[in-house]
Amino acid sequence: MKGLFITFEGLDGSGKTTQIKLLHDFLKKEGLDAVVTMEPGGTAVGEKIRDALLSRKYSGMDYKTEALLFLASRAELMSKVIMPALNSGSIVICDRFFDSTVVYQGIARKLGKEQILNMSLWACSNVVPDLTFLLSIKVDKSEERMKITNREKDRIEAEKDLFKEKICKGYLEIAEENKDRFIVLDGGKDIQSIFGEIKDNVERVLKEKRLI
Ligand code: TMP
């Protein structure tokens, strides 16, 4: 892979969208080619899958069905967007990737961490991010921010606080196991100091990969 693959993870309301925008703007200013995409979604098929996954109409969806739909959306995004961009030397920034499935479905839904990781690797042709930023915030902070933005919760966001506690713990667990690519940031800090840490790490990895 010629490019650089960066992913952002964290609870809803952790500030991923804001930081992704800042990073994208910074890379563009530096004259670097960067593509921003998101999961689930990011392709025509993926957007249909996203609607099915997040609609509160399907509140009783089987957990295995849910996991397979996330993987299907990812397989499509990988072959249509991520792989071509990386092969052409671009920087790809993805809002969530397989770490979300490992944590939400593997750990919190108890489908099995290893099982979901193996299935995810198969679905995304074994492509692993070069750098993953985990914006870590407490459940009450996430809830508070969701209230401020007044956004209606999707089917998964509408889960109980206990589910979200499992997500927080699960993220820290996999970050500890994948220290080579995970950078854990305190999502409660102010926007610019979080971005400073993101920028420093991205510049470091770009230099390591001789992309700048
Ligand atoms: P989003 O709000 O960040 O777009 O993500 C939609 C929801 O889907 C969010 O609550 C997290 C959840 N999710 C999973 O449960 N598993 C996954 O693999 C992904 C990518 C997201």
Side-chain angles (χ1 to χ4, degrees):
M1 262 175 6
K2 285 199 284 176
L4 181 73
F5 187 24
I6 305 170
T7 58
F8 281 76
E9 296 285 348
L11 277 182
D12 295 293
S14 58
K16 289 183 280 102
T17 313
T18 307
Q19 294 299 335
I20 287 172
K21 189 176 179 324
L22 287 172
L23 179 60
H24 192 206
D25 290 347
F26 166 75
L27 293 171
K28 272 193 301 191
K29 253 189 232 145
E30 294 295 302
L32 295 162
D33 184 26
V35 174
V36 174
T37 189
M38 50 120 76
E39 282 214 0
T43 61
V45 172
E47 289 302 318
K48 289 272 176 213
I49 297 175
R50 181 181 177 90
D51 290 345
L53 272 166
L54 303 184
S55 168
R56 292 176 79 159
K57 248 188 346 199
Y58 306 124
S59 57
M61 187 185 290
D62 182 83
Y63 292 168
K64 287 184 183 164
T65 310
E66 180 183 283
L68 290 166
L69 287 175
F70 278 115
L71 299 190
S73 171
R74 181 162 311 129
E76 190 71 9
L77 185 69
M78 183 48 81
S79 70
K80 300 276 162 55
V81 178
I82 299 179
M83 202 77 107
L86 290 175
N87 285 337
S88 73
S90 295
I91 300 169
V92 176
I93 307 170
C94 194
D95 186 346
R96 300 191 179 280
F97 196 58
F98 67 58
D99 296 304
S100 282
T101 326
V102 170
V103 172
Y104 282 72
Q105 282 65 47
I107 299 176
R109 298 285 204 216
K110 297 199 171 82
L111 292 181
K113 190 165 86 172
E114 294 303 322
Q115 171 79 359
I116 294 292
L117 176 63
N118 289 333
M119 289 166 68
S120 296
L121 286 169
W122 174 77
C124 67
S125 310
N126 291 313
V127 174
V128 176
D130 296 294
L131 198 52
T132 299
F133 292 105
L134 169 59
L135 297 176
S136 186
I137 51 163
K138 298 244 160 58
V139 173
D140 51 2
K141 187 84 185 165
S142 153
E143 290 292 310
E144 192 188 303
R145 286 186 179 167
M146 299 286 287
K147 265 191 208 131
I148 295 170
T149 53
N150 212 11
R151 193 159 61 83
E152 205 200 334
K153 288 184 177 175
D154 64 47
R155 187 179 62 83
I156 297 177
E157 285 161 358
E159 286 284 346
K160 310 240 165 355
D161 283 0
L162 182 62
F163 179 74
K164 292 182 190 147
E165 292 292 354
K166 288 186 194 155
I167 309 275
C168 284
K169 267 186 64 191
Y171 266 135
L172 294 174
E173 184 183 319
I174 60 163
E176 185 63 28
E177 290 165 3
N178 295 279
K179 280 192 175 145
D180 55 325
R181 68 178 167 93
F182 259 90
I183 308 286
V184 182
L185 301 168
D186 177 355
K189 281 196 191 162
D190 70 277
I191 291 172
Q192 285 307 328
S193 53
I194 299 174
F195 181 61
E197 291 183 66
I198 291 174
K199 190 166 83 74
D200 290 349
N201 278 287
V202 170
E203 282 177 330
R204 173 181 57 79
V205 179
L206 281 169
K207 278 183 194 143
E208 277 169 17
K209 289 200 90 182
R210 296 180 192 278
L211 291 169
I212 51 171

